[in-house]
Amino acid sequence: MNLLQSSSQFPTVRFLHLHPSSPTPLRTRSLPVRSSLLPFTNQNAKYHRELEAAVDVVERACRICVDVKKSLFSSEGRIVEKNDNTPVTVADFGVQALVSLELSKVFPSIPLVAEEDSDFVRSNNLVDSVVSVVTDKASSSDKPLTNTDVLEAIDRGGKSAIVYGTRPATYWVLDPIDGTKGFLKGSEALYVVGLALVVEGDIVLGVMGCPNWQEASSYNSTTDVQGSESVPSRSGIIMVAHVGCGTWARRLSDLMGVSAKAPNVWTRCFVDGCHLVPKARFCISDSQTWESGPLSAFFSATSDADCVSDKEGLLLPTCCGSLCKYLMVASGRASVFILRARAQIIIKAWDHAVGIICVHEAGGKVTDWKGSELDLAADPVERRILLPSMGVLVTNGTIHKQILEMISSTS
């Protein structure tokens, strides 16, 4: 059974009355919010202009991912590996270059913290391929992009591009493709383009684009709200969050070559209403097992949604990358994402920043295993590393304290 497509288990988005304080949101039909880019006005959102720019560039970045993916496994496609054996394609670098170029045009004074740098592109003769995909999606300009333009754009977000020091700072945080392994596996595995804006230590907005997000075609509520008679099983999703304005999502059907009849409609997202830990739906790190986690001392877990006993939790199938799991919690498909920190694994800011605000604004909670908020300035020089105590806990908020107490009792 594919849990990502089970309409009985996972509503695609919880759209309802707009009161996230309600412990168990009711799945009721809401009025769609139509907007060219955002579901709320600039009077309600301090960073409305920044969020509009972020939505626009993430959408175009998703198009890069889809286009590259189409050719990935053809005779012309190319897959290479970085020195750490993480699969990567021109899509990673193309997305970073595009986002860097577009944001620097509108907000030249806001720096970028991102995953890649151009050394790998240069050494693997990928420059022309990256320039090609960026040129195709970049906004029009009086002069064509050069190799230098694109390489410098990548390095604008690279390591040591800027030194922040201990002072408060404003900067973008980008994960070009979170879940690159999922990107390479095929359509079944999720991957995300994630972009967030940090202002003086606080995440104020975020955008996640997931081109192969799966919707259940039998889930009528989505059809009602979107106003379409036919819902494609893989329409993609873009999720946005702004501090104080909630988390919202809409489809990206056109990215998959589907001619969508639905207008540009946003729906409000909320976390699920689960209030008992064993009844929760769990995500864990791809590299970890349930038995190695702190909750295994209390109950076991199964990935078979049809055969969950009273002494088991439901463990969702692996979706690559951390941001995919944040998206699962923010959309109400999962109740918990739990990540154990390990000495040999560095926890990067771009794997969490946009997910944090999307979960928070959807009514959920994110802390380390001791209950402290994640400190984005834990790396005072480059703002690239997070140092959560023991691990990261992402929940619907309702069961957060219960899980923290369970972790504490086993530590």
Side-chain angles (χ1 to χ4, degrees):
M1 178 180 181
N2 189 335
L3 297 182
L4 295 181
Q5 292 180 310
S6 172
S7 60
S8 61
Q9 288 289 329
F10 310 117
T12 302
V13 183
R14 301 186 70 87
F15 14 80
L16 37 244
H17 54 81
L18 306 184
H19 300 290
S21 59
S22 174
T24 308
L26 301 174
R27 187 191 300 165
T28 59
R29 185 173 176 179
S30 67
L31 292 176
V33 179
R34 303 183 183 185
S35 168
S36 59
L37 283 177
L38 297 181
F40 38 76
T41 67
N42 55 8
Q43 286 81 13
N44 297 326
K46 181 177 180 180
Y47 303 98
H48 192 274
R49 182 166 170 259
E50 289 85 348
L51 186 54
E52 279 192 324
V55 170
D56 176 61
V57 75
V58 168
E59 284 195 285
R60 280 188 274 155
C62 287
R63 294 176 188 276
I64 285 181
C65 295
V66 172
D67 289 350
V68 171
K69 194 175 179 67
K70 286 179 180 178
S71 64
L72 189 60
F73 300 104
S74 70
S75 59
E76 300 299 323
R78 182 174 185 186
I79 301 175
V80 294
E81 291 193 354
K82 291 188 288 190
N83 293 332
D84 62 0
N85 296 318
T86 302
V88 68
T89 70
V90 294
D92 286 274
F93 301 101
V95 167
Q96 183 160 319
L98 176 71
V99 172
S100 176
L101 283 166
E102 298 301 314
L103 292 181
S104 64
K105 291 177 184 177
V106 189
F107 307 104
S109 64
I110 303 180
L112 175 68
V113 172
E115 185 171 10
E116 310 294 352
D117 60 54
S118 69
D119 289 345
F120 183 79
V121 179
R122 299 171 193 267
S123 61
N124 286 273
N125 299 317
L126 291 172
V127 178
D128 290 342
S129 298
V130 173
V131 171
S132 177
V133 298
V134 174
T135 300
D136 186 49
K137 299 298 183 291
S139 57
S140 59
S141 176
D142 294 335
K143 61 178 182 177
L145 289 174
T146 66
N147 289 5
T148 299
D149 292 333
V150 172
L151 292 172
E152 288 181 350
I154 294 172
D155 287 335
R156 178 173 173 257
K159 186 175 177 62
S160 303
I162 187 170
V163 175
Y164 293 90
T166 57
R167 70 186 188 280
T170 295
Y171 54 95
W172 298 101
V173 182
L174 170 70
D175 195 334
I177 299 181
D178 177 76
T180 310
K181 291 180 180 179
F183 178 79
L184 297 177
K185 281 182 178 179
S187 60
E188 293 299 323
L190 302 180
Y191 64 95
V192 167
V193 176
L195 179 64
L197 179 63
V198 179
V199 177
E200 297 187 356
D202 296 322
I203 308 166
V204 298
L205 65 84
V207 181
M208 286 196 279
C210 183
N212 62 341
W213 179 259
Q214 301 174 33
E215 293 180 345
S217 58
S218 61
Y219 186 53
N220 294 329
S221 292
T222 300
T223 306
D224 291 341
V225 172
Q226 297 288 7
S228 172
E229 296 177 358
S230 176
V231 182
S233 61
R234 253 178 258 285
S235 62
I237 191 175
I238 188 161
M239 177 177 284
V240 306
H242 184 291
V243 59
C245 295
T247 298
W248 299 76
R250 64 171 169 81
R251 289 192 272 174
L252 288 173
S253 301
D254 57 322
L255 290 180
M256 308 310 294
V258 178
S259 179
K261 298 179 181 179
N264 192 359
V265 179
W266 293 94
T267 51
R268 185 86 181 254
C269 302
F270 290 99
V271 294
D272 75 7
C274 178
H275 60 278
L276 295 174
V277 176
K279 301 296 183 182
R281 300 186 295 264
F282 294 89
C283 292
I284 60 174
S285 171
D286 313 333
S287 61
Q288 298 174 13
T289 64
W290 180 261
E291 289 70 26
S292 67
L295 302 186
S296 61
F298 299 92
F299 53 90
S300 59
T302 179
S303 59
D304 189 349
D306 295 325
C307 300
V308 184
S309 71
D310 293 337
K311 297 181 180 180
E312 292 178 316
L314 180 58
L315 187 60
L316 302 189
T318 299
C319 47
C320 301
S322 294
L323 291 184
C324 299
K325 299 175 178 69
Y326 276 98
L327 191 144
M328 294 282 281
V329 175
S331 66
R333 287 194 180 186
S335 315
V336 179
F337 166 37
I338 186 166
L339 171 69
R340 177 188 290 277
R342 294 185 293 174
Q344 66 272 32
I345 302 295
I346 298 174
I347 296 179
K348 302 295 181 60
W350 48 78
D351 289 327
H352 298 269
V354 64
I356 292 171
I357 189 168
C358 285
V359 168
H360 279 172
E361 288 295 320
K365 192 172 181 64
V366 182
T367 69
D368 64 20
W369 285 14
K370 291 189 176 180
S372 299
E373 293 186 5
L374 303 190
D375 182 8
L376 293 175
D379 172 7
V381 177
E382 296 179 348
R383 301 293 199 273
R384 303 174 72 80
I385 298 173
L386 301 179
L387 299 172
S389 178
M390 301 174 67
V392 178
L393 177 62
V394 183
T395 76
N396 63 5
T398 304
I399 57 177
H400 201 90
K401 184 178 180 181
Q402 297 176 52
I403 296 180
L404 286 176
E405 291 172 348
M406 295 167 76
I407 293 174
S408 177
S409 69
T410 62
S411 62

